[in-house]
Amino acid sequence: MKISYLATLLAILDKGSFTAAAEVVGCTPGAVSLQVKQLEIYFGKPLFDRSSRLSRPTSFALELGQLARETTSRIQALRTRPTLTVAGRLQLGAINSIQSDLLPCVLRALKDEHLALEVSVSSLVDSEDLLDAVNAGKLDAAALVRPKAGASSRLIWEDLAKQPFVMLAPAGVKDARPQDLLRKSAWIGYDRQLTGGRIAAEYVRRVAPGSRAFMELGSIDAIVAMVSQGLGISVVPLPREQLISSYDLRVVPLGRNGPSRQLSFVRRKADEDSRNVNAARDAFLSVLANRRASLDARSA
């Protein structure tokens, strides 16, 4: 039995249904039902009366819920007990584009300022996978694309930056309108298994219906290299400045109706007072602030 199953039971008792509980704990109603069955197997007693259309909690479920509420509260209090220093282990996640851009600077700042903090970085790179890992307690925090709807109420979201999507085109291309470029050029897709790839594909379908990607890549760095060799055009989140300046290509803005994505830092509410998590959040914000100041100075 996992402690998280007790949190699921409490959500059902508080919200009155498996479906409403699923939104709170950040999983599907089917997963909620499976967790309840696991609890029933563990305790050897039914937790809900399923004889009618509405599942009603048994007296044992109410008794277990009261005990679980007290126990989980005490466990969370121990887990989030404030410490005087930033020390110990921090499990951090970030989407692919942040790993190759912001994250190295963030890790450098954390290493310089908090010698006793050991940071491990997850191999997960998709926002949905990272979000599931934070919800499940496998990661302490993550920098990812904030979903437009359906975010779990158990999480705290702090916005980092709004990132526009752009079109990348070979340097010799003359057309300036994205829809014209999509109709005349081969389209290199950004992997639709990724949140950013789905956003890009939706835009392409909207402005150039019928367009089909002749290849899909999950690496923005690889897409930039392909476009610079004249193999096609692509719609991606705006790449980092150092990457763009290293290749011969055009960056075409998508205009006021172009898509964008919100990059955010997310952690569980239980970790709101965690010094380690707050140190990571502060490092992300500091790196972004320094970059904005540098851009302002160059444009002045």
Side-chain angles (χ1 to χ4, degrees):
M1 186 201 74
K2 297 182 179 179
I3 294 177
S4 60
Y5 293 176
L6 296 176
T8 298
L9 174 62
L10 290 176
I12 298 171
L13 296 177
D14 290 342
K15 297 298 182 179
S17 73
F18 284 32
T19 301
E23 295 182 2
V24 173
V25 300
C27 63
T28 65
V32 168
S33 297
L34 182 60
Q35 291 181 28
V36 170
K37 288 180 182 178
Q38 292 294 326
L39 286 173
E40 290 176 330
I41 292 172
Y42 182 82
F43 289 104
K45 295 181 181 181
L47 295 175
F48 290 89
D49 179 2
R50 300 177 175 84
S51 60
S52 61
R53 291 180 60 187
L54 296 176
S55 298
R56 300 183 182 279
T58 63
S59 58
F60 178 72
L62 296 175
E63 181 183 356
L64 177 60
Q66 181 177 356
L67 179 61
R69 200 177 302 277
E70 297 171 359
T71 303
T72 54
S73 295
R74 294 177 68 180
I75 290 174
Q76 290 293 354
L78 287 173
R79 186 171 179 272
T80 59
R81 178 185 292 170
T83 59
L84 296 178
T85 60
V86 176
R89 191 175 183 191
L90 176 69
Q91 294 175 300
L92 194 61
I95 58 174
N96 210 346
S97 58
I98 289 180
Q99 284 191 14
S100 59
D101 184 14
L102 290 175
L103 189 59
C105 300
V106 168
L107 295 179
R108 179 75 262 174
L110 289 173
K111 186 176 180 64
D112 290 343
E113 296 179 24
H114 307 292
L115 298 179
L117 182 64
E118 178 187 349
V119 183
S120 61
V121 179
S122 172
S123 60
L124 299 173
V125 295
D126 180 55
S127 291
E128 292 183 1
D129 294 337
L130 290 166
L131 190 56
D132 288 343
V134 173
N135 260 317
K138 297 178 181 178
L139 290 177
D140 297 310
L144 43 71
V145 179
R146 182 171 185 167
K148 294 182 179 179
S152 172
S153 60
R154 295 170 59 194
L155 303 175
I156 295 176
W157 294 87
E158 296 172 270
D159 291 340
L160 298 174
K162 191 172 184 179
Q163 186 178 34
F165 281 67
V166 297
M167 177 169 287
L168 303 179
V173 169
K174 301 300 182 182
D175 289 317
R177 296 205 317 161
Q179 53 267 47
D180 294 336
L181 289 171
L182 281 165
R183 294 190 184 99
K184 297 178 181 179
S185 308
W187 171 33
I188 301 173
Y190 186 30
D191 188 359
R192 284 173 293 177
Q193 294 296 318
L194 303 175
T195 303
R198 290 191 290 274
I199 295 173
E202 288 174 5
Y203 170 80
V204 171
R205 286 195 297 268
R206 175 162 57 87
V207 302
S211 297
R212 289 188 177 183
F214 79 97
M215 73 167 75
E216 278 195 6
L217 300 172
S219 166
I220 293 178
D221 290 44
I223 290 175
V224 168
M226 296 288 182
V227 172
S228 72
Q229 290 298 313
L231 297 176
I233 53 93
S234 188
V235 175
V236 295
L238 178 63
R240 61 190 185 277
E241 184 180 357
Q242 298 94 321
L243 180 61
I244 294 174
S245 61
S246 299
Y247 288 89
D248 190 22
L249 49 74
R250 288 183 59 194
V251 177
V252 181
L254 300 181
R256 289 181 296 177
N257 296 323
S260 63
R261 64 181 185 177
Q262 180 64 57
L263 302 180
S264 299
F265 184 86
V266 62
R267 93 293 275 288
R268 292 177 299 280
K269 283 186 177 179
D271 291 324
E272 183 174 9
D273 296 322
S274 167
R275 289 179 180 266
N276 291 355
V277 176
N278 285 338
R281 183 271 321 274
D282 292 345
F284 271 104
L285 294 176
S286 177
V287 169
L288 286 167
N290 289 337
R291 287 192 178 183
R292 284 192 290 268
S294 177
L295 287 173
D296 291 343
R298 276 185 285 171
S299 60

